[in-house]
Amino acid sequence: MTKAKFMIALSLSMAAAVPALAANPMVGGAPMYETKTIVENAVNSADHTTLVAAVKAAGLVETLQGPGPFTVFAPTNAAFGMLPDGTVETLLKPENKAMLTKVLTAHVVAGDWTAAKIAQKARMSRDGLANFTTVSGDALSARMKDGMLYVYDESGTVARVTIADVDQSNGVIHVVDHVLVPK
């Protein structure tokens, strides 16, 4: 065997021995890096500019750059756009910072909850729901239905997870199609 053939055979056998790493999904046209924090990745997503502006206005940037782990159900710009007219603008006013913080932290659960872990927790419950208390102290429930993950808030909003399991250095993001509303 020539040296060149040996090197090719060696590199092929080494490649076969190394498991393939699943790449994080793209979000808002941007790559999401598992080595970056929730905030560091979110600022690059064109679909989350409203969420990023809200996180900044609420003073939650430092918190969401912390060690976590956090699970964030991240509403898209389109989800914020479904709120009644003027809601986002009102929430972003400095005098409404406490209300904005409550809304945003109602999207955050302590821990690293992948879709598979959420589905397993739901399967193990009597009612088929995985129940969580958010950082705001509000309740969220989640379940798998027809192969999709859905999140339910206390106000009756049902958000569908459109992109699951976006790994971050300090947790995981699940992109959702509705803003979750605390009571």
Side-chain angles (χ1 to χ4, degrees):
M1 178 181 277
T2 66
K3 184 177 177 181
K5 287 182 182 178
F6 174 77
M7 292 305 290
I8 291 170
L10 180 63
S11 65
L12 288 174
S13 67
M14 287 174 60
V18 176
L21 296 176
N24 254 352
M26 299 276 283
V27 176
M32 299 287 114
Y33 300 101
E34 10 183 324
T35 56
K36 293 187 176 188
T37 67
I38 291 164
V39 173
E40 290 170 331
N41 274 321
V43 298
N44 295 317
S45 169
D47 291 343
H48 290 90
T49 56
T50 304
L51 178 62
V52 169
V55 166
K56 288 177 180 177
L60 293 172
V61 171
E62 189 173 307
T63 301
L64 291 175
Q65 286 180 326
F70 305 106
T71 298
V72 177
F73 297 98
T76 61
N77 295 339
F80 279 104
M82 287 188 251
L83 294 172
D85 286 344
T87 301
V88 173
E89 294 78 13
T90 299
L91 285 171
L92 291 174
K93 292 180 179 179
E95 62 268 22
N96 295 323
K97 184 177 177 179
M99 188 184 322
L100 177 61
T101 300
K102 173 97 167 146
V103 170
L104 293 175
T105 57
H107 291 79
V108 182
V109 175
D112 193 346
W113 287 95
T114 64
K117 287 180 187 175
I118 294 170
Q120 181 181 17
K121 183 175 181 175
R123 279 193 304 273
M124 295 175 65
S125 73
R126 281 190 158 156
D127 59 3
L129 292 169
N131 297 302
F132 299 96
T133 300
T134 66
V135 172
S136 67
D138 295 284
L140 286 183
S141 298
R143 79 168 56 186
M144 293 296 288
K145 182 178 176 186
D146 300 326
M148 299 296 299
L149 181 59
Y150 292 89
V151 183
Y152 306 82
D153 68 21
E154 296 175 324
S155 299
T157 302
V158 180
R160 183 173 56 90
V161 173
T162 58
I163 302 174
D165 299 334
V166 185
D167 290 324
Q168 316 290 296
S169 66
N170 61 344
V172 63
I173 291 176
H174 301 291
V175 177
V176 293
D177 65 354
H178 284 80
V179 175
L180 302 167
V181 182
K183 279 203 168 194

